[in-house]
Amino acid sequence: MTALDLAGPVAVVGTGTMGQGIAQVALVAGHPVRLYDAVPGRARAAADAIAARLDRLVEKDRLTGAERDAARARLRPAENLADLADSGLVVEAVLERLDVKQQLLRELEDIVDDDCLLATNTSSLSVTAIGGALRNPGRFVGLHFFNPAPLLPLVEVVSGFATDVTSATRAYEMARAWGKTPVACADTPGFIVNRIARPFYAEAFAVYEAQAADPATIDAVLRESGGFRMGAFELTDLIGQDVNESVTRSVWEAFFQDVRFTPSLAQRRLVESGRHGRKSGLGWYDYGDEGERPEPHTAEKVQPPAYVVAEGDLGPASELLALIREAGIQVREDEEDHGTRLVLPSGGQLALADGQTAVEFRDVVYFDLALDYRRATRIALSHSQDTQTQTLAEATGLFQALGKDVSVIGDVPGLIVARTVARIVDLAHDAVAKGVATEEDIDTAMRLGVNYPLGPFEWSRRLGRSWAYDVLDDLHMRDPSGRYAPSLALYRHAYASEKREGTP
C-alpha cells in the first residue's frame, strides 16, 4: 500500500474510545476497515457504535446517505488476528502496557505482509521500546491521535530509534490524506504535546500549593488574561485527574525524575482520594447536581489614579500605555529612565511580572502577563506586606479603569501566566535543540493538540528573544531546585540576540 492509497485495508486492534475513533477516521477517508478486539463480541459492538455515529453525521449533513452506506459496507469486525492479513496498515490501540503491545505486534508480524505498516497509538510508552520486539522495527511508527480522533485534527507521527524514514513518511502522508494535520517528532517522553504542556498544569498547581490563589482564580487568570481556552484545574477535571497525573508521572519517570517534570503532590492527593474530576463527580470542582462552581477572587471597585509616570515602554506590556490614555488617565513619561515600570501617585511602582517577588522591594505591585492587554478581561496583581495599601488600591483602580477584573494573589514570583508561558517557551526551545521536532511543528502541535492561543515560538517572538530566559533566570535564583533553570538552548537564543545588539 502506498502512502496515498485510499483503497488499502486498514486494521485497528483495540476497540475502546480511541480505537473506534481511529477506525471511523480511516473509514470516512475511504478505506476498508477491519476491527479486532481480544474480548469476544467487542469488535461487533464497536462496529455497531461506529455505524450509529455515521448515522449522526448524516443527520448533521456531514455525510450523505450514500457515503454512509458505502462506509458501512467497508466496515467489518474480525474474528481473529488472521483476518487482518491483507491490511496495508495496522494501528494498535490496546492497553497501555509494554508487554501487551509487544506480544500483539509479534503476532501481527507473522500474519501481515512485509510491506504492511505497523503503528501504535500510545501516548505514554516509548515507540522505540514497543518496536524493539519486532524482527523489522523499521516499519513500525507511532501514530498518536488525540481524543476524540474524528474531531481533533492533530496526529503526532513518532519515529522510533529504528523507524525507517520511508515508514515515517508513509504514515505522515497517510494521516494528511485522512484530513488530519500531522506533525513529525522523534521518540521522546511525552512526544511533543505531552512533553511541552507539563508546565501549564505544573505551574498552576505550584501557585495553588503556595496558597497564593485558589483554583477558580488561577483558572480565570489563565483564561481571561493568558487567553487559554480552559484553566489548568478545569482542564484536568475534564481529562481526568488520574489520567493527567499518570501522564505527568510517566514523563517525569521517563526523564529520570527530572525536576522540571515533577508531579504535583496536591494532584496526587486528589487522585488518592478518588476525586478524578467530571467522571467521578468531584475533582478540583464539584460536578454534583447541587455543586456550585466557585467564583474567582475579584477585587472590589476602587478609584483609579489621576496619572501614572511611565519609566520606559513596559516591554511586552507596552500597549497598556495607549489603553491608559484612552481611559482618560494622564501618562507622564520619564524620558531619562529606561526601565519598564509605572510609578503611581503614591510613589509605589507597578511592574510586569519578571520572576522576582514584591517583598524584595519597598513598595511595588506586580501585574501578570496577558496575551492581549486590550482584549484581556482580567489581570492578576501581587504585592507583599511591605506594599502600601494606597499603592495596591491605585494599581487595582488603574486596571479596573481599563475594563479589567482584578484578582489579587499572593506574592509568588512570575505570578500565573508569565511563569507558565516562560516555562513552555523554554521546553519548546529545548525540544528543538534536541531534535524532537521543528519550531513549526511544535507551534502547530500546541495550538491544535491543546488549543493554546499561540504556539511557544509565536509567544517567544511576540515577547522578545530574552524575555523567557530573564523570567526563568530570576525564578531560578529564588527556587534553585533546578525546576526553573533555563535550558542551554534558551540561553543561546537569548545570548545570540544580545550579542547581535552589541551587548558585551
Side-chain angles (χ1 to χ4, degrees), residues 147-210:
N147 191 31
L151 297 180
L152 294 186
L154 184 69
V155 177
E156 292 177 319
V157 181
V158 186
S159 293
F161 184 78
T163 302
D164 291 337
V165 173
T166 54
S167 297
T169 301
R170 286 177 62 193
Y172 186 97
E173 293 299 334
M174 179 62 72
R176 187 158 61 180
W178 289 359
K180 296 300 182 181
T181 302
V183 292
C185 79
D187 183 23
T188 183
F191 309 142
I192 297 175
V193 172
N194 281 330
R195 172 178 176 153
I196 295 174
R198 294 347 299 159
F200 179 74
Y201 313 110
E203 293 313 305
F205 298 158
V207 172
Y208 168 76
E209 289 173 342

Side-chain angles (χ1 to χ4, degrees), residues 31-263:
H31 294 269
V33 173
R34 311 286 181 258
L35 288 173
Y36 175 78
D37 198 290
V39 178
R42 282 192 180 175
R44 169 57 62 186
D48 291 342
I50 293 171
R53 285 197 290 273
L54 294 177
D55 288 339
R56 290 195 289 273
L57 290 177
V58 172
E59 293 170 2
K60 296 177 180 178
D61 293 325
R62 295 179 183 173
L63 278 182
T64 66
E67 289 170 334
R68 173 200 58 197
D69 295 342
R72 280 180 169 177
R74 294 192 300 273
L75 179 62
R76 191 177 74 197
E79 296 294 329
N80 49 64
L81 286 177
D83 294 339
L84 312 182
D86 65 341
S87 301
L89 167 67
V90 181
V91 182
E92 70 80 10
V94 300
L95 187 66
E96 283 285 275
R97 273 181 44 187
L98 181 61
D99 58 335
V100 172
K101 292 179 183 291
Q102 287 180 329
Q103 177 61 34
L104 168 64
L105 288 161
R106 278 194 293 263
E107 294 178 27
L108 285 168
E109 197 172 30
D110 292 333
I111 293 169
V112 298
D113 291 338
D114 290 342
D115 64 348
C116 176
L117 191 64
L118 298 177
T120 176
N121 184 58
T122 187
S123 61
S124 61
L125 299 177
S126 164
V127 172
T128 300
I130 298 171
L134 297 173
R135 292 190 306 274
N136 178 19
R139 63 166 165 174
F140 181 66
V141 66
L143 278 177
H144 182 216
F145 289 77
F146 288 75
N147 191 31
L151 297 180
L152 294 186
L154 184 69
V155 177
E156 292 177 319
V157 181
V158 186
S159 293
F161 184 78
T163 302
D164 291 337
V165 173
T166 54
S167 297
T169 301
R170 286 177 62 193
Y172 186 97
E173 293 299 334
M174 179 62 72
R176 187 158 61 180
W178 289 359
K180 296 300 182 181
T181 302
V183 292
C185 79
D187 183 23
T188 183
F191 309 142
I192 297 175
V193 172
N194 281 330
R195 172 178 176 153
I196 295 174
R198 294 347 299 159
F200 179 74
Y201 313 110
E203 293 313 305
F205 298 158
V207 172
Y208 168 76
E209 289 173 342
Q211 300 186 52
D214 60 276
T217 299
I218 296 169
D219 278 352
V221 172
L222 286 168
R223 289 193 314 270
E224 300 172 38
S225 182
F228 293 96
R229 185 73 60 87
M230 300 179 74
F233 296 89
E234 57 191 343
L235 180 55
T236 52
D237 267 357
L238 178 63
I239 294 169
Q241 297 301 331
D242 54 336
V243 174
N244 181 261
E245 201 257 359
S246 176
V247 172
T248 298
R249 187 167 294 276
S250 70
V251 171
W252 175 61
E253 291 174 348
F255 275 114
F256 308 106
Q257 300 186 353
D258 186 329
V259 68
R260 295 176 302 165
F261 301 100
T262 302

Side-chain angles (χ1 to χ4, degrees), residues 65 173 177 184 186 209 224 252 300 361 363 394 398 403:
E173 293 299 334
E209 289 173 342
E224 300 172 38
W252 175 61
E300 296 291 332
F361 303 94
D363 190 17
E394 289 173 351
L398 175 66

Side-chain angles (χ1 to χ4, degrees), residues 426-447:
D426 181 48
L427 289 186
H429 278 279
D430 185 53
V432 169
K434 292 177 178 174
V436 173
T438 65
E439 291 186 8
E440 181 180 3
D441 275 356
I442 287 175
D443 276 353
T444 297
M446 302 313 291
R447 287 196 312 270

Side-chain angles (χ1 to χ4, degrees), residues 359-378:
V359 75
E360 299 170 52
F361 303 94
R362 184 184 63 80
D363 190 17
V364 68
V365 172
Y366 275 110
F367 65 94
D368 209 350
L369 180 70
L371 171 68
D372 182 334
Y373 283 99
R374 183 174 292 277
R375 298 177 63 182
T377 57
R378 183 178 298 273

